[in-house]
PDB file of all heavy atoms in Angstrom:
ATOM      1  N   SER A   1     -13.259 -32.132  43.454  1.00 95.00           N
ATOM      2  CA  SER A   1     -14.288 -31.524  42.601  1.00 95.00           C
ATOM      3  C   SER A   1     -13.691 -30.970  41.315  1.00 95.00           C
ATOM      4  O   SER A   1     -14.269 -31.115  40.237  1.00 95.00           O
ATOM      5  CB  SER A   1     -15.025 -30.413  43.365  1.00 95.00           C
ATOM      6  OG  SER A   1     -14.172 -29.318  43.642  1.00 95.00           O
ATOM      7  N   LEU A   2     -12.528 -30.330  41.426  1.00 95.00           N
ATOM      8  CA  LEU A   2     -11.870 -29.776  40.244  1.00 95.00           C
ATOM      9  C   LEU A   2     -11.412 -30.885  39.298  1.00 95.00           C
ATOM     10  O   LEU A   2     -11.534 -30.762  38.077  1.00 95.00           O
ATOM     11  CB  LEU A   2     -10.677 -28.916  40.656  1.00 95.00           C
ATOM     12  CG  LEU A   2     -11.006 -27.599  41.374  1.00 95.00           C
ATOM     13  CD1 LEU A   2      -9.720 -26.912  41.829  1.00 95.00           C
ATOM     14  CD2 LEU A   2     -11.814 -26.668  40.468  1.00 95.00           C
ATOM     15  N   THR A   3     -10.889 -31.976  39.865  1.00 95.00           N
ATOM     16  CA  THR A   3     -10.448 -33.108  39.037  1.00 95.00           C
ATOM     17  C   THR A   3     -11.626 -33.723  38.296  1.00 95.00           C
ATOM     18  O   THR A   3     -11.559 -33.963  37.083  1.00 95.00           O
ATOM     19  CB  THR A   3      -9.762 -34.183  39.907  1.00 95.00           C
ATOM     20  OG1 THR A   3      -8.626 -33.615  40.545  1.00 95.00           O
ATOM     21  CG2 THR A   3      -9.334 -35.367  39.056  1.00 95.00           C
ATOM     22  N   PHE A   4     -12.712 -33.983  39.030  1.00 96.00           N
ATOM     23  CA  PHE A   4     -13.908 -34.547  38.409  1.00 96.00           C
ATOM     24  C   PHE A   4     -14.404 -33.650  37.281  1.00 96.00           C
ATOM     25  O   PHE A   4     -14.625 -34.100  36.147  1.00 96.00           O
ATOM     26  CB  PHE A   4     -15.020 -34.714  39.459  1.00 96.00           C
ATOM     27  CG  PHE A   4     -16.337 -35.129  38.866  1.00 96.00           C
ATOM     28  CD1 PHE A   4     -16.657 -36.471  38.728  1.00 96.00           C
ATOM     29  CD2 PHE A   4     -17.267 -34.178  38.423  1.00 96.00           C
ATOM     30  CE1 PHE A   4     -17.868 -36.857  38.157  1.00 96.00           C
ATOM     31  CE2 PHE A   4     -18.466 -34.554  37.852  1.00 96.00           C
ATOM     32  CZ  PHE A   4     -18.765 -35.900  37.724  1.00 96.00           C
ATOM     33  N   SER A   5     -14.587 -32.383  37.581  1.00 95.00           N
ATOM     34  CA  SER A   5     -15.190 -31.458  36.636  1.00 95.00           C
ATOM     35  C   SER A   5     -14.318 -31.233  35.404  1.00 95.00           C
ATOM     36  O   SER A   5     -14.805 -31.257  34.264  1.00 95.00           O
ATOM     37  CB  SER A   5     -15.474 -30.123  37.338  1.00 95.00           C
ATOM     38  OG  SER A   5     -16.375 -29.342  36.599  1.00 95.00           O
ATOM     39  N   PHE A   6     -13.032 -31.016  35.611  1.00 95.00           N
ATOM     40  CA  PHE A   6     -12.129 -30.740  34.488  1.00 95.00           C
ATOM     41  C   PHE A   6     -11.995 -31.960  33.578  1.00 95.00           C
ATOM     42  O   PHE A   6     -12.050 -31.838  32.346  1.00 95.00           O
ATOM     43  CB  PHE A   6     -10.749 -30.318  35.008  1.00 95.00           C
ATOM     44  CG  PHE A   6      -9.807 -29.882  33.933  1.00 95.00           C
ATOM     45  CD1 PHE A   6      -9.984 -28.674  33.267  1.00 95.00           C
ATOM     46  CD2 PHE A   6      -8.738 -30.695  33.573  1.00 95.00           C
ATOM     47  CE1 PHE A   6      -9.110 -28.283  32.257  1.00 95.00           C
ATOM     48  CE2 PHE A   6      -7.855 -30.306  32.573  1.00 95.00           C
ATOM     49  CZ  PHE A   6      -8.046 -29.098  31.911  1.00 95.00           C
ATOM     50  N   CYS A   7     -11.833 -33.133  34.169  1.00 93.00           N
ATOM     51  CA  CYS A   7     -11.684 -34.351  33.362  1.00 93.00           C
ATOM     52  C   CYS A   7     -12.964 -34.681  32.607  1.00 93.00           C
ATOM     53  O   CYS A   7     -12.917 -35.114  31.450  1.00 93.00           O
ATOM     54  CB  CYS A   7     -11.267 -35.523  34.249  1.00 93.00           C
ATOM     55  SG  CYS A   7      -9.569 -35.404  34.856  1.00 93.00           S
ATOM     56  N   LEU A   8     -14.131 -34.470  33.245  1.00 93.00           N
ATOM     57  CA  LEU A   8     -15.385 -34.746  32.543  1.00 93.00           C
ATOM     58  C   LEU A   8     -15.595 -33.755  31.404  1.00 93.00           C
ATOM     59  O   LEU A   8     -16.047 -34.130  30.316  1.00 93.00           O
ATOM     60  CB  LEU A   8     -16.560 -34.688  33.516  1.00 93.00           C
ATOM     61  CG  LEU A   8     -17.945 -35.000  32.908  1.00 93.00           C
ATOM     62  CD1 LEU A   8     -17.944 -36.369  32.239  1.00 93.00           C
ATOM     63  CD2 LEU A   8     -19.042 -34.930  33.964  1.00 93.00           C
ATOM     64  N   MET A   9     -15.262 -32.478  31.625  1.00 94.00           N
ATOM     65  CA  MET A   9     -15.402 -31.476  30.575  1.00 94.00           C
ATOM     66  C   MET A   9     -14.590 -31.861  29.335  1.00 94.00           C
ATOM     67  O   MET A   9     -15.066 -31.729  28.201  1.00 94.00           O
ATOM     68  CB  MET A   9     -14.945 -30.109  31.088  1.00 94.00           C
ATOM     69  CG  MET A   9     -15.134 -28.975  30.085  1.00 94.00           C
ATOM     70  SD  MET A   9     -14.558 -27.369  30.712  1.00 94.00           S
ATOM     71  CE  MET A   9     -12.763 -27.629  30.665  1.00 94.00           C
ATOM     72  N   LEU A  10     -13.380 -32.371  29.559  1.00 91.00           N
ATOM     73  CA  LEU A  10     -12.537 -32.791  28.443  1.00 91.00           C
ATOM     74  C   LEU A  10     -12.993 -34.130  27.853  1.00 91.00           C
ATOM     75  O   LEU A  10     -12.983 -34.304  26.628  1.00 91.00           O
ATOM     76  CB  LEU A  10     -11.078 -32.912  28.901  1.00 91.00           C
ATOM     77  CG  LEU A  10     -10.368 -31.615  29.319  1.00 91.00           C
ATOM     78  CD1 LEU A  10      -8.926 -31.912  29.677  1.00 91.00           C
ATOM     79  CD2 LEU A  10     -10.433 -30.570  28.207  1.00 91.00           C
ATOM     80  N   GLU A  11     -13.396 -35.055  28.719  1.00 88.00           N
ATOM     81  CA  GLU A  11     -13.795 -36.393  28.264  1.00 88.00           C
ATOM     82  C   GLU A  11     -14.981 -36.349  27.321  1.00 88.00           C
ATOM     83  O   GLU A  11     -15.121 -37.198  26.428  1.00 88.00           O
ATOM     84  CB  GLU A  11     -14.110 -37.270  29.490  1.00 88.00           C
ATOM     85  CG  GLU A  11     -14.309 -38.742  29.187  1.00 88.00           C
ATOM     86  CD  GLU A  11     -15.750 -39.089  28.857  1.00 88.00           C
ATOM     87  OE1 GLU A  11     -16.638 -38.270  29.143  1.00 88.00           O
ATOM     88  OE2 GLU A  11     -15.982 -40.185  28.314  1.00 88.00           O
ATOM     89  N   ILE A  12     -15.852 -35.356  27.506  1.00 90.00           N
ATOM     90  CA  ILE A  12     -17.053 -35.243  26.680  1.00 90.00           C
ATOM     91  C   ILE A  12     -16.693 -35.055  25.204  1.00 90.00           C
ATOM     92  O   ILE A  12     -17.408 -35.540  24.318  1.00 90.00           O
ATOM     93  CB  ILE A  12     -17.930 -34.060  27.168  1.00 90.00           C
ATOM     94  CG1 ILE A  12     -18.429 -34.311  28.587  1.00 90.00           C
ATOM     95  CG2 ILE A  12     -19.092 -33.807  26.222  1.00 90.00           C
ATOM     96  CD1 ILE A  12     -19.377 -35.457  28.724  1.00 90.00           C
ATOM     97  N   ILE A  13     -15.580 -34.368  24.911  1.00 88.00           N
ATOM     98  CA  ILE A  13     -15.228 -34.075  23.515  1.00 88.00           C
ATOM     99  C   ILE A  13     -14.984 -35.354  22.707  1.00 88.00           C
ATOM    100  O   ILE A  13     -15.668 -35.592  21.704  1.00 88.00           O
ATOM    101  CB  ILE A  13     -14.008 -33.125  23.441  1.00 88.00           C
ATOM    102  CG1 ILE A  13     -14.347 -31.783  24.092  1.00 88.00           C
ATOM    103  CG2 ILE A  13     -13.586 -32.914  21.977  1.00 88.00           C
ATOM    104  CD1 ILE A  13     -13.158 -30.830  24.195  1.00 88.00           C
ATOM    105  N   PRO A  14     -14.024 -36.225  23.101  1.00 84.00           N
ATOM    106  CA  PRO A  14     -13.853 -37.467  22.339  1.00 84.00           C
ATOM    107  C   PRO A  14     -15.041 -38.403  22.446  1.00 84.00           C
ATOM    108  O   PRO A  14     -15.322 -39.175  21.516  1.00 84.00           O
ATOM    109  CB  PRO A  14     -12.590 -38.090  22.945  1.00 84.00           C
ATOM    110  CG  PRO A  14     -12.474 -37.494  24.304  1.00 84.00           C
ATOM    111  CD  PRO A  14     -13.017 -36.102  24.172  1.00 84.00           C
ATOM    112  N   SER A  15     -15.766 -38.333  23.562  1.00 83.00           N
ATOM    113  CA  SER A  15     -16.942 -39.187  23.721  1.00 83.00           C
ATOM    114  C   SER A  15     -18.013 -38.825  22.696  1.00 83.00           C
ATOM    115  O   SER A  15     -18.609 -39.706  22.057  1.00 83.00           O
ATOM    116  CB  SER A  15     -17.506 -39.044  25.142  1.00 83.00           C
ATOM    117  OG  SER A  15     -18.565 -39.941  25.348  1.00 83.00           O
ATOM    118  N   ILE A  16     -18.261 -37.527  22.514  1.00 85.00           N
ATOM    119  CA  ILE A  16     -19.234 -37.083  21.510  1.00 85.00           C
ATOM    120  C   ILE A  16     -18.762 -37.459  20.112  1.00 85.00           C
ATOM    121  O   ILE A  16     -19.548 -37.925  19.277  1.00 85.00           O
ATOM    122  CB  ILE A  16     -19.452 -35.557  21.613  1.00 85.00           C
ATOM    123  CG1 ILE A  16     -20.277 -35.226  22.855  1.00 85.00           C
ATOM    124  CG2 ILE A  16     -20.145 -35.012  20.359  1.00 85.00           C
ATOM    125  CD1 ILE A  16     -20.455 -33.737  23.101  1.00 85.00           C
ATOM    126  N   ALA A  17     -17.465 -37.255  19.842  1.00 83.00           N
ATOM    127  CA  ALA A  17     -16.923 -37.594  18.530  1.00 83.00           C
ATOM    128  C   ALA A  17     -17.074 -39.086  18.238  1.00 83.00           C
ATOM    129  O   ALA A  17     -17.415 -39.483  17.114  1.00 83.00           O
ATOM    130  CB  ALA A  17     -15.453 -37.187  18.459  1.00 83.00           C
ATOM    131  N   THR A  18     -16.843 -39.925  19.253  1.00 78.00           N
ATOM    132  CA  THR A  18     -16.987 -41.367  19.087  1.00 78.00           C
ATOM    133  C   THR A  18     -18.441 -41.742  18.798  1.00 78.00           C
ATOM    134  O   THR A  18     -18.727 -42.561  17.918  1.00 78.00           O
ATOM    135  CB  THR A  18     -16.510 -42.097  20.360  1.00 78.00           C
ATOM    136  OG1 THR A  18     -15.167 -41.723  20.634  1.00 78.00           O
ATOM    137  CG2 THR A  18     -16.587 -43.595  20.193  1.00 78.00           C
ATOM    138  N   GLN A  19     -19.366 -41.138  19.552  1.00 79.00           N
ATOM    139  CA  GLN A  19     -20.786 -41.397  19.334  1.00 79.00           C
ATOM    140  C   GLN A  19     -21.202 -40.969  17.933  1.00 79.00           C
ATOM    141  O   GLN A  19     -21.932 -41.666  17.237  1.00 79.00           O
ATOM    142  CB  GLN A  19     -21.615 -40.646  20.384  1.00 79.00           C
ATOM    143  CG  GLN A  19     -21.415 -41.090  21.816  1.00 79.00           C
ATOM    144  CD  GLN A  19     -22.130 -42.383  22.141  1.00 79.00           C
ATOM    145  OE1 GLN A  19     -23.002 -42.821  21.396  1.00 79.00           O
ATOM    146  NE2 GLN A  19     -21.772 -43.009  23.241  1.00 79.00           N
ATOM    147  N   SER A  20     -20.731 -39.795  17.508  1.00 80.00           N
ATOM    148  CA  SER A  20     -21.055 -39.276  16.187  1.00 80.00           C
ATOM    149  C   SER A  20     -20.554 -40.210  15.093  1.00 80.00           C
ATOM    150  O   SER A  20     -21.263 -40.501  14.118  1.00 80.00           O
ATOM    151  CB  SER A  20     -20.447 -37.887  16.010  1.00 80.00           C
ATOM    152  OG  SER A  20     -20.657 -37.395  14.714  1.00 80.00           O
ATOM    153  N   LEU A  21     -19.331 -40.698  15.253  1.00 77.00           N
ATOM    154  CA  LEU A  21     -18.744 -41.597  14.260  1.00 77.00           C
ATOM    155  C   LEU A  21     -19.538 -42.890  14.149  1.00 77.00           C
ATOM    156  O   LEU A  21     -19.701 -43.442  13.053  1.00 77.00           O
ATOM    157  CB  LEU A  21     -17.289 -41.890  14.627  1.00 77.00           C
ATOM    158  CG  LEU A  21     -16.467 -42.693  13.609  1.00 77.00           C
ATOM    159  CD1 LEU A  21     -16.433 -41.976  12.265  1.00 77.00           C
ATOM    160  CD2 LEU A  21     -15.062 -42.925  14.135  1.00 77.00           C
ATOM    161  N   SER A  22     -20.058 -43.382  15.281  1.00 72.00           N
ATOM    162  CA  SER A  22     -20.844 -44.619  15.252  1.00 72.00           C
ATOM    163  C   SER A  22     -22.141 -44.433  14.472  1.00 72.00           C
ATOM    164  O   SER A  22     -22.584 -45.343  13.768  1.00 72.00           O
ATOM    165  CB  SER A  22     -21.146 -45.090  16.686  1.00 72.00           C
ATOM    166  OG  SER A  22     -22.047 -44.221  17.341  1.00 72.00           O
ATOM    167  N   VAL A  23     -22.745 -43.233  14.585  1.00 74.00           N
ATOM    168  CA  VAL A  23     -23.952 -42.945  13.809  1.00 74.00           C
ATOM    169  C   VAL A  23     -23.631 -42.909  12.321  1.00 74.00           C
ATOM    170  O   VAL A  23     -24.328 -43.495  11.492  1.00 74.00           O
ATOM    171  CB  VAL A  23     -24.577 -41.595  14.235  1.00 74.00           C
ATOM    172  CG1 VAL A  23     -25.657 -41.173  13.241  1.00 74.00           C
ATOM    173  CG2 VAL A  23     -25.173 -41.707  15.613  1.00 74.00           C
ATOM    174  N   VAL A  24     -22.555 -42.220  11.986  1.00 75.00           N
ATOM    175  CA  VAL A  24     -22.171 -42.070  10.578  1.00 75.00           C
ATOM    176  C   VAL A  24     -21.902 -43.426   9.940  1.00 75.00           C
ATOM    177  O   VAL A  24     -22.362 -43.705   8.824  1.00 75.00           O
ATOM    178  CB  VAL A  24     -20.932 -41.158  10.450  1.00 75.00           C
ATOM    179  CG1 VAL A  24     -20.368 -41.200   9.035  1.00 75.00           C
ATOM    180  CG2 VAL A  24     -21.302 -39.736  10.818  1.00 75.00           C
ATOM    181  N   ARG A  25     -21.170 -44.271  10.625  1.00 71.00           N
ATOM    182  CA  ARG A  25     -20.885 -45.602  10.084  1.00 71.00           C
ATOM    183  C   ARG A  25     -22.153 -46.407   9.887  1.00 71.00           C
ATOM    184  O   ARG A  25     -22.268 -47.206   8.951  1.00 71.00           O
ATOM    185  CB  ARG A  25     -19.931 -46.342  11.020  1.00 71.00           C
ATOM    186  CG  ARG A  25     -18.498 -45.805  10.964  1.00 71.00           C
ATOM    187  CD  ARG A  25     -17.616 -46.495  11.975  1.00 71.00           C
ATOM    188  NE  ARG A  25     -16.224 -46.059  11.848  1.00 71.00           N
ATOM    189  CZ  ARG A  25     -15.261 -46.372  12.718  1.00 71.00           C
ATOM    190  NH1 ARG A  25     -15.554 -47.102  13.787  1.00 71.00           N
ATOM    191  NH2 ARG A  25     -14.031 -45.949  12.526  1.00 71.00           N
ATOM    192  N   SER A  26     -23.119 -46.190  10.777  1.00 67.00           N
ATOM    193  CA  SER A  26     -24.396 -46.910  10.670  1.00 67.00           C
ATOM    194  C   SER A  26     -25.211 -46.434   9.474  1.00 67.00           C
ATOM    195  O   SER A  26     -25.696 -47.235   8.678  1.00 67.00           O
ATOM    196  CB  SER A  26     -25.209 -46.724  11.962  1.00 67.00           C
ATOM    197  OG  SER A  26     -26.448 -47.381  11.877  1.00 67.00           O
ATOM    198  N   VAL A  27     -25.326 -45.108   9.307  1.00 69.00           N
ATOM    199  CA  VAL A  27     -26.149 -44.584   8.209  1.00 69.00           C
ATOM    200  C   VAL A  27     -25.415 -44.639   6.874  1.00 69.00           C
ATOM    201  O   VAL A  27     -26.054 -44.558   5.818  1.00 69.00           O
ATOM    202  CB  VAL A  27     -26.619 -43.138   8.498  1.00 69.00           C
ATOM    203  CG1 VAL A  27     -27.492 -43.101   9.730  1.00 69.00           C
ATOM    204  CG2 VAL A  27     -25.448 -42.179   8.628  1.00 69.00           C
ATOM    205  N   ASN A  28     -24.080 -44.779   6.891  1.00 69.00           N
ATOM    206  CA  ASN A  28     -23.335 -44.963   5.646  1.00 69.00           C
ATOM    207  C   ASN A  28     -23.821 -46.200   4.903  1.00 69.00           C
ATOM    208  O   ASN A  28     -23.846 -46.227   3.662  1.00 69.00           O
ATOM    209  CB  ASN A  28     -21.831 -45.100   5.915  1.00 69.00           C
ATOM    210  CG  ASN A  28     -21.136 -43.777   6.176  1.00 69.00           C
ATOM    211  OD1 ASN A  28     -20.046 -43.737   6.711  1.00 69.00           O
ATOM    212  ND2 ASN A  28     -21.781 -42.665   5.809  1.00 69.00           N
ATOM    213  N   GLU A  29     -24.219 -47.214   5.682  1.00 64.00           N
ATOM    214  CA  GLU A  29     -24.723 -48.455   5.089  1.00 64.00           C
ATOM    215  C   GLU A  29     -26.053 -48.245   4.375  1.00 64.00           C
ATOM    216  O   GLU A  29     -26.460 -49.058   3.549  1.00 64.00           O
ATOM    217  CB  GLU A  29     -24.871 -49.526   6.172  1.00 64.00           C
ATOM    218  CG  GLU A  29     -23.547 -49.910   6.835  1.00 64.00           C
ATOM    219  CD  GLU A  29     -23.725 -50.938   7.924  1.00 64.00           C
ATOM    220  OE1 GLU A  29     -24.873 -51.398   8.114  1.00 64.00           O
ATOM    221  OE2 GLU A  29     -22.736 -51.293   8.581  1.00 64.00           O
ATOM    222  N   LEU A  30     -26.730 -47.140   4.721  1.00 65.00           N
ATOM    223  CA  LEU A  30     -28.002 -46.814   4.065  1.00 65.00           C
ATOM    224  C   LEU A  30     -27.790 -45.838   2.906  1.00 65.00           C
ATOM    225  O   LEU A  30     -28.761 -45.337   2.329  1.00 65.00           O
ATOM    226  CB  LEU A  30     -28.981 -46.215   5.077  1.00 65.00           C
ATOM    227  CG  LEU A  30     -29.310 -47.086   6.302  1.00 65.00           C
ATOM    228  CD1 LEU A  30     -30.250 -46.334   7.239  1.00 65.00           C
ATOM    229  CD2 LEU A  30     -29.929 -48.404   5.882  1.00 65.00           C
ATOM    230  N   GLY A  31     -26.523 -45.543   2.587  1.00 71.00           N
ATOM    231  CA  GLY A  31     -26.218 -44.679   1.455  1.00 71.00           C
ATOM    232  C   GLY A  31     -26.104 -43.204   1.779  1.00 71.00           C
ATOM    233  O   GLY A  31     -26.060 -42.367   0.877  1.00 71.00           O
ATOM    234  N   VAL A  32     -26.036 -42.839   3.058  1.00 70.00           N
ATOM    235  CA  VAL A  32     -25.924 -41.438   3.467  1.00 70.00           C
ATOM    236  C   VAL A  32     -24.451 -41.093   3.642  1.00 70.00           C
ATOM    237  O   VAL A  32     -23.711 -41.823   4.305  1.00 70.00           O
ATOM    238  CB  VAL A  32     -26.685 -41.169   4.774  1.00 70.00           C
ATOM    239  CG1 VAL A  32     -26.580 -39.706   5.170  1.00 70.00           C
ATOM    240  CG2 VAL A  32     -28.145 -41.582   4.625  1.00 70.00           C
ATOM    241  N   SER A  33     -23.990 -39.969   3.078  1.00 76.00           N
ATOM    242  CA  SER A  33     -22.587 -39.583   3.165  1.00 76.00           C
ATOM    243  C   SER A  33     -22.242 -39.093   4.573  1.00 76.00           C
ATOM    244  O   SER A  33     -23.115 -38.652   5.327  1.00 76.00           O
ATOM    245  CB  SER A  33     -22.268 -38.479   2.156  1.00 76.00           C
ATOM    246  OG  SER A  33     -22.880 -37.258   2.547  1.00 76.00           O
ATOM    247  N   SER A  34     -20.954 -39.138   4.907  1.00 75.00           N
ATOM    248  CA  SER A  34     -20.488 -38.715   6.227  1.00 75.00           C
ATOM    249  C   SER A  34     -20.727 -37.230   6.452  1.00 75.00           C
ATOM    250  O   SER A  34     -21.133 -36.812   7.547  1.00 75.00           O
ATOM    251  CB  SER A  34     -18.994 -39.026   6.387  1.00 75.00           C
ATOM    252  OG  SER A  34     -18.760 -40.409   6.318  1.00 75.00           O
ATOM    253  N   ILE A  35     -20.487 -36.412   5.419  1.00 81.00           N
ATOM    254  CA  ILE A  35     -20.676 -34.966   5.553  1.00 81.00           C
ATOM    255  C   ILE A  35     -22.141 -34.634   5.812  1.00 81.00           C
ATOM    256  O   ILE A  35     -22.476 -33.843   6.707  1.00 81.00           O
ATOM    257  CB  ILE A  35     -20.185 -34.232   4.286  1.00 81.00           C
ATOM    258  CG1 ILE A  35     -18.663 -34.368   4.156  1.00 81.00           C
ATOM    259  CG2 ILE A  35     -20.581 -32.759   4.334  1.00 81.00           C
ATOM    260  CD1 ILE A  35     -18.090 -33.737   2.904  1.00 81.00           C
ATOM    261  N   ALA A  36     -23.032 -35.263   5.050  1.00 79.00           N
ATOM    262  CA  ALA A  36     -24.464 -35.013   5.223  1.00 79.00           C
ATOM    263  C   ALA A  36     -24.934 -35.472   6.596  1.00 79.00           C
ATOM    264  O   ALA A  36     -25.669 -34.763   7.290  1.00 79.00           O
ATOM    265  CB  ALA A  36     -25.256 -35.728   4.129  1.00 79.00           C
ATOM    266  N   ALA A  37     -24.478 -36.662   6.995  1.00 78.00           N
ATOM    267  CA  ALA A  37     -24.891 -37.200   8.294  1.00 78.00           C
ATOM    268  C   ALA A  37     -24.377 -36.323   9.435  1.00 78.00           C
ATOM    269  O   ALA A  37     -25.116 -36.016  10.375  1.00 78.00           O
ATOM    270  CB  ALA A  37     -24.370 -38.627   8.457  1.00 78.00           C
ATOM    271  N   GLY A  38     -23.114 -35.908   9.348  1.00 80.00           N
ATOM    272  CA  GLY A  38     -22.536 -35.066  10.400  1.00 80.00           C
ATOM    273  C   GLY A  38     -23.220 -33.721  10.494  1.00 80.00           C
ATOM    274  O   GLY A  38     -23.469 -33.209  11.600  1.00 80.00           O
ATOM    275  N   THR A  39     -23.547 -33.132   9.356  1.00 82.00           N
ATOM    276  CA  THR A  39     -24.219 -31.831   9.333  1.00 82.00           C
ATOM    277  C   THR A  39     -25.602 -31.907   9.956  1.00 82.00           C
ATOM    278  O   THR A  39     -25.969 -31.085  10.812  1.00 82.00           O
ATOM    279  CB  THR A  39     -24.325 -31.301   7.889  1.00 82.00           C
ATOM    280  OG1 THR A  39     -23.008 -31.196   7.324  1.00 82.00           O
ATOM    281  CG2 THR A  39     -25.006 -29.941   7.870  1.00 82.00           C
ATOM    282  N   VAL A  40     -26.371 -32.890   9.524  1.00 83.00           N
ATOM    283  CA  VAL A  40     -27.738 -33.053  10.043  1.00 83.00           C
ATOM    284  C   VAL A  40     -27.705 -33.336  11.537  1.00 83.00           C
ATOM    285  O   VAL A  40     -28.487 -32.766  12.319  1.00 83.00           O
ATOM    286  CB  VAL A  40     -28.473 -34.182   9.297  1.00 83.00           C
ATOM    287  CG1 VAL A  40     -29.811 -34.488   9.974  1.00 83.00           C
ATOM    288  CG2 VAL A  40     -28.702 -33.804   7.846  1.00 83.00           C
ATOM    289  N   LEU A  41     -26.790 -34.205  11.959  1.00 84.00           N
ATOM    290  CA  LEU A  41     -26.688 -34.564  13.376  1.00 84.00           C
ATOM    291  C   LEU A  41     -26.332 -33.346  14.222  1.00 84.00           C
ATOM    292  O   LEU A  41     -26.935 -33.112  15.276  1.00 84.00           O
ATOM    293  CB  LEU A  41     -25.634 -35.659  13.551  1.00 84.00           C
ATOM    294  CG  LEU A  41     -25.458 -36.248  14.954  1.00 84.00           C
ATOM    295  CD1 LEU A  41     -26.766 -36.857  15.453  1.00 84.00           C
ATOM    296  CD2 LEU A  41     -24.356 -37.308  14.940  1.00 84.00           C
ATOM    297  N   ALA A  42     -25.359 -32.553  13.756  1.00 84.00           N
ATOM    298  CA  ALA A  42     -24.944 -31.361  14.500  1.00 84.00           C
ATOM    299  C   ALA A  42     -26.072 -30.343  14.601  1.00 84.00           C
ATOM    300  O   ALA A  42     -26.282 -29.725  15.653  1.00 84.00           O
ATOM    301  CB  ALA A  42     -23.723 -30.729  13.834  1.00 84.00           C
ATOM    302  N   VAL A  43     -26.820 -30.168  13.510  1.00 86.00           N
ATOM    303  CA  VAL A  43     -27.932 -29.211  13.510  1.00 86.00           C
ATOM    304  C   VAL A  43     -29.037 -29.667  14.461  1.00 86.00           C
ATOM    305  O   VAL A  43     -29.567 -28.871  15.258  1.00 86.00           O
ATOM    306  CB  VAL A  43     -28.494 -29.030  12.083  1.00 86.00           C
ATOM    307  CG1 VAL A  43     -29.805 -28.240  12.117  1.00 86.00           C
ATOM    308  CG2 VAL A  43     -27.480 -28.313  11.202  1.00 86.00           C
ATOM    309  N   LEU A  44     -29.397 -30.942  14.396  1.00 86.00           N
ATOM    310  CA  LEU A  44     -30.464 -31.472  15.259  1.00 86.00           C
ATOM    311  C   LEU A  44     -30.100 -31.322  16.736  1.00 86.00           C
ATOM    312  O   LEU A  44     -30.918 -30.879  17.550  1.00 86.00           O
ATOM    313  CB  LEU A  44     -30.730 -32.940  14.930  1.00 86.00           C
ATOM    314  CG  LEU A  44     -31.432 -33.239  13.606  1.00 86.00           C
ATOM    315  CD1 LEU A  44     -31.537 -34.738  13.382  1.00 86.00           C
ATOM    316  CD2 LEU A  44     -32.822 -32.612  13.581  1.00 86.00           C
TER     317      LEU A  44
END
């Protein structure tokens, strides 16, 4: 239980960052800056 929980707690950090980066790269093609996209995404 400790292994599952601790590893998942840590795994979520790079997983969220990876997901966030994929959104930014997608909306960059629509002319939205990375800072603006990251800010809006974090707030939402």
Side-chain angles (χ1 to χ4, degrees):
S1 67
L2 291 175
T3 300
F4 173 90
S5 196
F6 186 72
C7 289
L8 182 56
M9 184 181 72
L10 294 183
E11 190 271 344
I12 296 294
I13 298 174
S15 185
I16 287 176
T18 303
Q19 295 283 345
S20 176
L21 187 58
S22 69
V23 169
V24 169
R25 287 176 175 171
S26 179
V27 298
N28 281 162
E29 297 178 4
L30 302 178
V32 181
S33 70
S34 297
I35 293 177
T39 302
V40 172
L41 185 59
V43 170
L44 288 176

